[in-house]
Amino acid sequence: MSVKMLNILLVDDDSVDVMNVQRAFKKNNVHNALYVARDGRQALEMLRDGTVPMNNRLVLLDLNMPRMNGIEFLRALRSDPELSTTPVVVLTTSNDDRDRVQSYAHHVAGYLVKPVTSPAFVELMAALNAYWMRVELP
């Protein structure tokens, strides 16, 4: 049986949040490739130039970022024929209904509010990885 690998692009400008994701992956023995972009513009560049391999991509997207925020990124991603089907899971501190509605209007695969505590965050990352590995990967 071949091992399924995800190419995960984490789009988040908060270095503490990036470290939390990395730590949660390590604690859960998640060995998928993790790429980091600090804003939507950098994320689009990384997706377009092949920095993030084309196969089995997943974007974890924060909404509140400088230069190009998450909603602007989703708008650009969905309007690009090469990238429009890229799965995106919003991973944000925003529990605002407007953000949630706008995200789903751009066809996100999920909307997750970042837990404040480390153990809850580790559990959330484990659940996300388990779901993606079992259900979404071919």
mmCIF file with all atom_site columns, all heavy atoms in Angstrom, residues 109-128:
data_model
loop_
_atom_site.group_PDB
_atom_site.id
_atom_site.type_symbol
_atom_site.label_atom_id
_atom_site.label_alt_id
_atom_site.label_comp_id
_atom_site.label_asym_id
_atom_site.label_entity_id
_atom_site.label_seq_id
_atom_site.pdbx_PDB_ins_code
_atom_site.Cartn_x
_atom_site.Cartn_y
_atom_site.Cartn_z
_atom_site.occupancy
_atom_site.B_iso_or_equiv
_atom_site.pdbx_formal_charge
_atom_site.auth_seq_id
_atom_site.auth_comp_id
_atom_site.auth_asym_id
_atom_site.auth_atom_id
_atom_site.pdbx_PDB_model_num
ATOM 1   N N   . ALA A 1 109 ? -13.656 24.035 1.811  1.00 0.00 ? 109 ALA A N   1
ATOM 2   C CA  . ALA A 1 109 ? -14.007 22.679 2.244  1.00 0.00 ? 109 ALA A CA  1
ATOM 3   C C   . ALA A 1 109 ? -14.374 22.642 3.715  1.00 0.00 ? 109 ALA A C   1
ATOM 4   O O   . ALA A 1 109 ? -15.007 21.695 4.179  1.00 0.00 ? 109 ALA A O   1
ATOM 5   C CB  . ALA A 1 109 ? -12.832 21.734 1.979  1.00 0.00 ? 109 ALA A CB  1
ATOM 6   N N   . GLY A 1 110 ? -13.993 23.676 4.459  1.00 0.00 ? 110 GLY A N   1
ATOM 7   C CA  . GLY A 1 110 ? -14.312 23.732 5.877  1.00 0.00 ? 110 GLY A CA  1
ATOM 8   C C   . GLY A 1 110 ? -13.918 25.063 6.468  1.00 0.00 ? 110 GLY A C   1
ATOM 9   O O   . GLY A 1 110 ? -13.126 25.814 5.881  1.00 0.00 ? 110 GLY A O   1
ATOM 10  N N   . TYR A 1 111 ? -14.477 25.366 7.626  1.00 0.00 ? 111 TYR A N   1
ATOM 11  C CA  . TYR A 1 111 ? -14.197 26.611 8.332  1.00 0.00 ? 111 TYR A CA  1
ATOM 12  C C   . TYR A 1 111 ? -13.938 26.243 9.785  1.00 0.00 ? 111 TYR A C   1
ATOM 13  O O   . TYR A 1 111 ? -14.855 25.820 10.495 1.00 0.00 ? 111 TYR A O   1
ATOM 14  C CB  . TYR A 1 111 ? -15.389 27.565 8.222  1.00 0.00 ? 111 TYR A CB  1
ATOM 15  C CG  . TYR A 1 111 ? -15.124 28.965 8.714  1.00 0.00 ? 111 TYR A CG  1
ATOM 16  C CD1 . TYR A 1 111 ? -14.838 29.985 7.818  1.00 0.00 ? 111 TYR A CD1 1
ATOM 17  C CD2 . TYR A 1 111 ? -15.150 29.274 10.068 1.00 0.00 ? 111 TYR A CD2 1
ATOM 18  C CE1 . TYR A 1 111 ? -14.603 31.287 8.246  1.00 0.00 ? 111 TYR A CE1 1
ATOM 19  C CE2 . TYR A 1 111 ? -14.912 30.563 10.511 1.00 0.00 ? 111 TYR A CE2 1
ATOM 20  C CZ  . TYR A 1 111 ? -14.638 31.566 9.602  1.00 0.00 ? 111 TYR A CZ  1
ATOM 21  O OH  . TYR A 1 111 ? -14.403 32.853 10.034 1.00 0.00 ? 111 TYR A OH  1
ATOM 22  N N   . LEU A 1 112 ? -12.683 26.334 10.205 1.00 0.00 ? 112 LEU A N   1
ATOM 23  C CA  . LEU A 1 112 ? -12.309 25.940 11.557 1.00 0.00 ? 112 LEU A CA  1
ATOM 24  C C   . LEU A 1 112 ? -11.828 27.154 12.339 1.00 0.00 ? 112 LEU A C   1
ATOM 25  O O   . LEU A 1 112 ? -10.965 27.905 11.864 1.00 0.00 ? 112 LEU A O   1
ATOM 26  C CB  . LEU A 1 112 ? -11.186 24.893 11.515 1.00 0.00 ? 112 LEU A CB  1
ATOM 27  C CG  . LEU A 1 112 ? -11.477 23.634 10.687 1.00 0.00 ? 112 LEU A CG  1
ATOM 28  C CD1 . LEU A 1 112 ? -10.222 22.786 10.574 1.00 0.00 ? 112 LEU A CD1 1
ATOM 29  C CD2 . LEU A 1 112 ? -12.618 22.850 11.288 1.00 0.00 ? 112 LEU A CD2 1
ATOM 30  N N   . VAL A 1 113 ? -12.387 27.341 13.533 1.00 0.00 ? 113 VAL A N   1
ATOM 31  C CA  . VAL A 1 113 ? -11.941 28.430 14.398 1.00 0.00 ? 113 VAL A CA  1
ATOM 32  C C   . VAL A 1 113 ? -10.819 27.884 15.267 1.00 0.00 ? 113 VAL A C   1
ATOM 33  O O   . VAL A 1 113 ? -10.956 26.830 15.902 1.00 0.00 ? 113 VAL A O   1
ATOM 34  C CB  . VAL A 1 113 ? -13.106 28.968 15.265 1.00 0.00 ? 113 VAL A CB  1
ATOM 35  C CG1 . VAL A 1 113 ? -12.617 30.049 16.216 1.00 0.00 ? 113 VAL A CG1 1
ATOM 36  C CG2 . VAL A 1 113 ? -14.214 29.499 14.355 1.00 0.00 ? 113 VAL A CG2 1
ATOM 37  N N   . LYS A 1 114 ? -9.687  28.611 15.248 1.00 0.00 ? 114 LYS A N   1
ATOM 38  C CA  . LYS A 1 114 ? -8.511  28.165 16.005 1.00 0.00 ? 114 LYS A CA  1
ATOM 39  C C   . LYS A 1 114 ? -8.840  28.129 17.489 1.00 0.00 ? 114 LYS A C   1
ATOM 40  O O   . LYS A 1 114 ? -9.264  29.137 18.052 1.00 0.00 ? 114 LYS A O   1
ATOM 41  C CB  . LYS A 1 114 ? -7.337  29.119 15.800 1.00 0.00 ? 114 LYS A CB  1
ATOM 42  C CG  . LYS A 1 114 ? -6.778  29.157 14.413 1.00 0.00 ? 114 LYS A CG  1
ATOM 43  C CD  . LYS A 1 114 ? -5.667  30.188 14.335 1.00 0.00 ? 114 LYS A CD  1
ATOM 44  C CE  . LYS A 1 114 ? -5.271  30.448 12.903 1.00 0.00 ? 114 LYS A CE  1
ATOM 45  N NZ  . LYS A 1 114 ? -4.324  31.573 12.789 1.00 0.00 ? 114 LYS A NZ  1
ATOM 46  N N   . PRO A 1 115 ? -8.625  26.975 18.124 1.00 0.00 ? 115 PRO A N   1
ATOM 47  C CA  . PRO A 1 115 ? -8.819  26.920 19.578 1.00 0.00 ? 115 PRO A CA  1
ATOM 48  C C   . PRO A 1 115 ? -7.719  27.715 20.272 1.00 0.00 ? 115 PRO A C   1
ATOM 49  O O   . PRO A 1 115 ? -6.626  27.863 19.735 1.00 0.00 ? 115 PRO A O   1
ATOM 50  C CB  . PRO A 1 115 ? -8.684  25.437 19.914 1.00 0.00 ? 115 PRO A CB  1
ATOM 51  C CG  . PRO A 1 115 ? -8.677  24.711 18.614 1.00 0.00 ? 115 PRO A CG  1
ATOM 52  C CD  . PRO A 1 115 ? -8.268  25.685 17.568 1.00 0.00 ? 115 PRO A CD  1
ATOM 53  N N   . VAL A 1 116 ? -8.028  28.190 21.452 1.00 0.00 ? 116 VAL A N   1
ATOM 54  C CA  . VAL A 1 116 ? -7.055  28.987 22.192 1.00 0.00 ? 116 VAL A CA  1
ATOM 55  C C   . VAL A 1 116 ? -6.028  28.103 22.891 1.00 0.00 ? 116 VAL A C   1
ATOM 56  O O   . VAL A 1 116 ? -4.867  28.476 23.014 1.00 0.00 ? 116 VAL A O   1
ATOM 57  C CB  . VAL A 1 116 ? -7.746  29.880 23.254 1.00 0.00 ? 116 VAL A CB  1
ATOM 58  C CG1 . VAL A 1 116 ? -7.181  31.280 23.212 1.00 0.00 ? 116 VAL A CG1 1
ATOM 59  C CG2 . VAL A 1 116 ? -9.248  29.924 23.069 1.00 0.00 ? 116 VAL A CG2 1
ATOM 60  N N   . THR A 1 117 ? -6.434  26.938 23.327 1.00 0.00 ? 117 THR A N   1
ATOM 61  C CA  . THR A 1 117 ? -5.514  26.098 24.086 1.00 0.00 ? 117 THR A CA  1
ATOM 62  C C   . THR A 1 117 ? -4.741  25.153 23.173 1.00 0.00 ? 117 THR A C   1
ATOM 63  O O   . THR A 1 117 ? -5.253  24.680 22.158 1.00 0.00 ? 117 THR A O   1
ATOM 64  C CB  . THR A 1 117 ? -6.263  25.243 25.137 1.00 0.00 ? 117 THR A CB  1
ATOM 65  O OG1 . THR A 1 117 ? -7.064  24.286 24.444 1.00 0.00 ? 117 THR A OG1 1
ATOM 66  C CG2 . THR A 1 117 ? -7.130  26.102 26.033 1.00 0.00 ? 117 THR A CG2 1
ATOM 67  N N   . SER A 1 118 ? -3.530  24.882 23.548 1.00 0.00 ? 118 SER A N   1
ATOM 68  C CA  . SER A 1 118 ? -2.662  24.013 22.758 1.00 0.00 ? 118 SER A CA  1
ATOM 69  C C   . SER A 1 118 ? -3.215  22.595 22.586 1.00 0.00 ? 118 SER A C   1
ATOM 70  O O   . SER A 1 118 ? -3.233  22.079 21.472 1.00 0.00 ? 118 SER A O   1
ATOM 71  C CB  . SER A 1 118 ? -1.261  23.972 23.374 1.00 0.00 ? 118 SER A CB  1
ATOM 72  O OG  . SER A 1 118 ? -0.432  23.167 22.586 1.00 0.00 ? 118 SER A OG  1
ATOM 73  N N   . PRO A 1 119 ? -3.684  21.938 23.664 1.00 0.00 ? 119 PRO A N   1
ATOM 74  C CA  . PRO A 1 119 ? -4.206  20.580 23.471 1.00 0.00 ? 119 PRO A CA  1
ATOM 75  C C   . PRO A 1 119 ? -5.386  20.530 22.499 1.00 0.00 ? 119 PRO A C   1
ATOM 76  O O   . PRO A 1 119 ? -5.468  19.617 21.668 1.00 0.00 ? 119 PRO A O   1
ATOM 77  C CB  . PRO A 1 119 ? -4.651  20.159 24.872 1.00 0.00 ? 119 PRO A CB  1
ATOM 78  C CG  . PRO A 1 119 ? -3.844  21.012 25.802 1.00 0.00 ? 119 PRO A CG  1
ATOM 79  C CD  . PRO A 1 119 ? -3.656  22.316 25.071 1.00 0.00 ? 119 PRO A CD  1
ATOM 80  N N   . ALA A 1 120 ? -6.265  21.512 22.555 1.00 0.00 ? 120 ALA A N   1
ATOM 81  C CA  . ALA A 1 120 ? -7.416  21.542 21.646 1.00 0.00 ? 120 ALA A CA  1
ATOM 82  C C   . ALA A 1 120 ? -6.951  21.766 20.211 1.00 0.00 ? 120 ALA A C   1
ATOM 83  O O   . ALA A 1 120 ? -7.494  21.189 19.273 1.00 0.00 ? 120 ALA A O   1
ATOM 84  C CB  . ALA A 1 120 ? -8.391  22.640 22.072 1.00 0.00 ? 120 ALA A CB  1
ATOM 85  N N   . PHE A 1 121 ? -5.918  22.573 20.040 1.00 0.00 ? 121 PHE A N   1
ATOM 86  C CA  . PHE A 1 121 ? -5.385  22.831 18.707 1.00 0.00 ? 121 PHE A CA  1
ATOM 87  C C   . PHE A 1 121 ? -4.745  21.571 18.135 1.00 0.00 ? 121 PHE A C   1
ATOM 88  O O   . PHE A 1 121 ? -4.940  21.242 16.962 1.00 0.00 ? 121 PHE A O   1
ATOM 89  C CB  . PHE A 1 121 ? -4.369  23.974 18.752 1.00 0.00 ? 121 PHE A CB  1
ATOM 90  C CG  . PHE A 1 121 ? -3.983  24.464 17.390 1.00 0.00 ? 121 PHE A CG  1
ATOM 91  C CD1 . PHE A 1 121 ? -4.807  25.345 16.706 1.00 0.00 ? 121 PHE A CD1 1
ATOM 92  C CD2 . PHE A 1 121 ? -2.816  24.034 16.782 1.00 0.00 ? 121 PHE A CD2 1
ATOM 93  C CE1 . PHE A 1 121 ? -4.467  25.782 15.436 1.00 0.00 ? 121 PHE A CE1 1
ATOM 94  C CE2 . PHE A 1 121 ? -2.474  24.473 15.521 1.00 0.00 ? 121 PHE A CE2 1
ATOM 95  C CZ  . PHE A 1 121 ? -3.301  25.347 14.846 1.00 0.00 ? 121 PHE A CZ  1
ATOM 96  N N   . VAL A 1 122 ? -4.008  20.849 18.951 1.00 0.00 ? 122 VAL A N   1
ATOM 97  C CA  . VAL A 1 122 ? -3.386  19.593 18.528 1.00 0.00 ? 122 VAL A CA  1
ATOM 98  C C   . VAL A 1 122 ? -4.464  18.599 18.094 1.00 0.00 ? 122 VAL A C   1
ATOM 99  O O   . VAL A 1 122 ? -4.346  17.950 17.052 1.00 0.00 ? 122 VAL A O   1
ATOM 100 C CB  . VAL A 1 122 ? -2.496  19.008 19.657 1.00 0.00 ? 122 VAL A CB  1
ATOM 101 C CG1 . VAL A 1 122 ? -2.052  17.589 19.330 1.00 0.00 ? 122 VAL A CG1 1
ATOM 102 C CG2 . VAL A 1 122 ? -1.286  19.902 19.896 1.00 0.00 ? 122 VAL A CG2 1
ATOM 103 N N   . GLU A 1 123 ? -5.535  18.503 18.870 1.00 0.00 ? 123 GLU A N   1
ATOM 104 C CA  . GLU A 1 123 ? -6.648  17.609 18.517 1.00 0.00 ? 123 GLU A CA  1
ATOM 105 C C   . GLU A 1 123 ? -7.302  18.023 17.204 1.00 0.00 ? 123 GLU A C   1
ATOM 106 O O   . GLU A 1 123 ? -7.658  17.176 16.379 1.00 0.00 ? 123 GLU A O   1
ATOM 107 C CB  . GLU A 1 123 ? -7.709  17.617 19.631 1.00 0.00 ? 123 GLU A CB  1
ATOM 108 C CG  . GLU A 1 123 ? -7.291  16.865 20.868 1.00 0.00 ? 123 GLU A CG  1
ATOM 109 C CD  . GLU A 1 123 ? -8.332  16.973 21.982 1.00 0.00 ? 123 GLU A CD  1
ATOM 110 O OE1 . GLU A 1 123 ? -9.514  17.239 21.670 1.00 0.00 ? 123 GLU A OE1 1
ATOM 111 O OE2 . GLU A 1 123 ? -7.950  16.807 23.147 1.00 0.00 ? 123 GLU A OE2 1
ATOM 112 N N   . LEU A 1 124 ? -7.486  19.322 17.003 1.00 0.00 ? 124 LEU A N   1
ATOM 113 C CA  . LEU A 1 124 ? -8.092  19.826 15.778 1.00 0.00 ? 124 LEU A CA  1
ATOM 114 C C   . LEU A 1 124 ? -7.238  19.459 14.560 1.00 0.00 ? 124 LEU A C   1
ATOM 115 O O   . LEU A 1 124 ? -7.758  18.996 13.541 1.00 0.00 ? 124 LEU A O   1
ATOM 116 C CB  . LEU A 1 124 ? -8.272  21.351 15.860 1.00 0.00 ? 124 LEU A CB  1
ATOM 117 C CG  . LEU A 1 124 ? -8.882  22.013 14.625 1.00 0.00 ? 124 LEU A CG  1
ATOM 118 C CD1 . LEU A 1 124 ? -10.310 21.526 14.401 1.00 0.00 ? 124 LEU A CD1 1
ATOM 119 C CD2 . LEU A 1 124 ? -8.859  23.522 14.779 1.00 0.00 ? 124 LEU A CD2 1
ATOM 120 N N   . MET A 1 125 ? -5.933  19.630 14.661 1.00 0.00 ? 125 MET A N   1
ATOM 121 C CA  . MET A 1 125 ? -5.037  19.295 13.550 1.00 0.00 ? 125 MET A CA  1
ATOM 122 C C   . MET A 1 125 ? -5.034  17.784 13.283 1.00 0.00 ? 125 MET A C   1
ATOM 123 O O   . MET A 1 125 ? -4.988  17.351 12.137 1.00 0.00 ? 125 MET A O   1
ATOM 124 C CB  . MET A 1 125 ? -3.608  19.785 13.820 1.00 0.00 ? 125 MET A CB  1
ATOM 125 C CG  . MET A 1 125 ? -3.445  21.295 13.791 1.00 0.00 ? 125 MET A CG  1
ATOM 126 S SD  . MET A 1 125 ? -3.778  22.030 12.169 1.00 0.00 ? 125 MET A SD  1
ATOM 127 C CE  . MET A 1 125 ? -5.465  22.534 12.323 1.00 0.00 ? 125 MET A CE  1
ATOM 128 N N   . ALA A 1 126 ? -5.122  16.992 14.343 1.00 0.00 ? 126 ALA A N   1
ATOM 129 C CA  . ALA A 1 126 ? -5.186  15.535 14.180 1.00 0.00 ? 126 ALA A CA  1
ATOM 130 C C   . ALA A 1 126 ? -6.459  15.139 13.440 1.00 0.00 ? 126 ALA A C   1
ATOM 131 O O   . ALA A 1 126 ? -6.426  14.307 12.524 1.00 0.00 ? 126 ALA A O   1
ATOM 132 C CB  . ALA A 1 126 ? -5.126  14.843 15.541 1.00 0.00 ? 126 ALA A CB  1
ATOM 133 N N   . ALA A 1 127 ? -7.574  15.738 13.817 1.00 0.00 ? 127 ALA A N   1
ATOM 134 C CA  . ALA A 1 127 ? -8.856  15.426 13.179 1.00 0.00 ? 127 ALA A CA  1
ATOM 135 C C   . ALA A 1 127 ? -8.850  15.853 11.709 1.00 0.00 ? 127 ALA A C   1
ATOM 136 O O   . ALA A 1 127 ? -9.311  15.114 10.838 1.00 0.00 ? 127 ALA A O   1
ATOM 137 C CB  . ALA A 1 127 ? -9.999  16.114 13.930 1.00 0.00 ? 127 ALA A CB  1
ATOM 138 N N   . LEU A 1 128 ? -8.310  17.028 11.433 1.00 0.00 ? 128 LEU A N   1
ATOM 139 C CA  . LEU A 1 128 ? -8.237  17.520 10.063 1.00 0.00 ? 128 LEU A CA  1
ATOM 140 C C   . LEU A 1 128 ? -7.386  16.579 9.212  1.00 0.00 ? 128 LEU A C   1
ATOM 141 O O   . LEU A 1 128 ? -7.775  16.178 8.117  1.00 0.00 ? 128 LEU A O   1
ATOM 142 C CB  . LEU A 1 128 ? -7.646  18.932 10.036 1.00 0.00 ? 128 LEU A CB  1
ATOM 143 C CG  . LEU A 1 128 ? -7.429  19.515 8.643  1.00 0.00 ? 128 LEU A CG  1
ATOM 144 C CD1 . LEU A 1 128 ? -8.750  19.731 7.939  1.00 0.00 ? 128 LEU A CD1 1
ATOM 145 C CD2 . LEU A 1 128 ? -6.659  20.818 8.733  1.00 0.00 ? 128 LEU A CD2 1
#
